[in-house]
Amino acid sequence: MRRVLVLLALPLLLAGCTTVAGGRATPATVVPTTPRVPRPGTGAGPYRSGDCVELPDVTKVSCDRPHEYEVMLSANFAPEVPAAYPPDVKRLARPACHTALPAYLGNPDADASTLEAFTLWPGEQPWGAGERWYACLVTARGGDNKPVKQPGRLAAALAHGLGRFQECRAGEPLKESPVHVVPCGGPHRSEAVPGVLQLGKATDPPIDLNGPLVGKAISHCEQKVIAYLGGRRPGVTSTAILPLPQDWPTGETAAVCWAIADHDVTGPLGHA
């Protein structure tokens, strides 16, 4: 039975930047969370926690073979979900998937990595037949902005820091079109740094981009970038990227901090 795989993008807003200068990088303190990985095989519907999934047919495969997605959790929509198709996945399932990402990966800074959460739900025919499940999947974004096909599991992949999954960009965040994710060990200008700041919950009123949370995020990110660099450094700026108000109810409630060099660098600017 063919199912619909929906890849939900994460639109963000550039909030501001400050210049930092000087210094030598020292290892950042890693504050991982204890991974909260559901017991394998638990959940709802045809895809369960720990399943590995391969495109284009959304087929379950052995995690030992190369695949694009891994199921973090699956559940049923609330009984009162409208029967109309498609369901309002952004509001009804996306918040749970966004919350699952740092818990499953074992690090509150998951939004600073190339590991991203996506949502899968039944196609129109099985939905009409009464299926009401959804699944939260995780994948790694590659340099071509497509999911990376690789063997192995991603559960607890960030428990000891961002490591090889730290997100780096060839240019500046949001100024690239399309986004160009690159390995941090090669030439790049921008690095997402540890210190993702949760600004609230999806059930809170959406962020006011003229309100105090914006200034809080900018100040927070300046300090996180300085800590990441080990001090101030010429030619590097700090930037806070915030969620758009319309995406707040989907669970996009965090500010991500970026260090941006004014020229290409090779290798990480700091330690993640």
Side-chain angles (χ1 to χ4, degrees):
M1 186 177 293
R2 189 173 184 273
R3 303 181 187 277
V4 177
L5 181 65
V6 178
L7 308 185
L8 298 181
L10 311 180
L12 299 165
L13 180 71
L14 183 64
C17 63
T18 38
T19 301
V20 296
R24 178 182 177 185
T26 55
T29 300
V30 177
V31 187
T33 59
T34 300
R36 297 193 299 276
V37 179
R39 185 165 55 86
T42 59
Y47 303 96
R48 302 299 178 97
S49 176
D51 286 346
C52 292
V53 180
E54 185 179 50
L55 296 181
D57 298 322
V58 200
T59 305
K60 290 191 289 186
V61 298
S62 168
C63 294
D64 293 331
R65 62 181 278 182
H67 58 276
E68 294 95 339
Y69 294 92
E70 183 173 330
V71 179
M72 296 185 290
L73 66 83
S74 60
N76 285 313
F77 287 99
E80 61 272 16
V81 64
Y85 190 87
D88 186 359
V89 173
K90 286 187 176 182
R91 184 177 62 86
L92 299 176
R94 178 66 188 176
C97 292
H98 195 79
T99 299
L101 188 68
Y104 192 80
L105 298 177
N107 194 316
D109 292 326
D111 283 350
S113 77
T114 57
L115 300 176
E116 301 177 350
F118 298 99
T119 308
L120 174 68
W121 66 90
E124 188 169 7
Q125 183 178 351
W127 183 270
E131 293 191 24
R132 293 293 185 270
W133 56 267
Y134 67 89
C136 300
L137 283 63
V138 58
T139 190
R141 182 200 289 252
D144 55 1
N145 287 321
K146 295 180 180 179
V148 175
K149 196 168 188 175
Q150 58 189 348
R153 295 185 179 275
L154 291 173
L158 304 182
H160 300 290
L162 299 177
R164 67 186 180 94
F165 294 111
Q166 181 182 12
E167 184 170 355
C168 289
R169 303 274 186 91
E172 295 187 32
L174 301 184
K175 290 187 179 181
E176 292 181 316
S177 183
V179 170
H180 190 188
V181 175
V182 296
C184 295
H188 63 279
R189 286 189 55 206
S190 303
E191 302 177 9
V193 309
V196 171
L197 177 63
Q198 290 295 330
L199 300 170
K201 299 178 181 179
T203 52
D204 294 336
I207 186 172
D208 177 0
L209 296 179
N210 295 311
L213 284 181
V214 175
K216 177 181 179 181
I218 293 173
S219 177
H220 168 86
C221 286
E222 180 181 10
Q223 295 306 311
K224 290 301 179 181
V225 169
I226 290 173
Y228 174 71
L229 298 173
R232 298 181 179 273
R233 186 179 301 183
V236 181
T237 58
S238 66
T239 296
I241 297 184
L242 306 179
L244 292 168
Q246 60 264 35
D247 296 308
W248 187 275
T250 72
E252 306 298 333
T253 59
V256 180
C257 304
W258 287 78
I260 303 174
D262 62 6
H263 61 279
D264 281 353
V265 298
T266 300
L269 291 164
H271 296 267

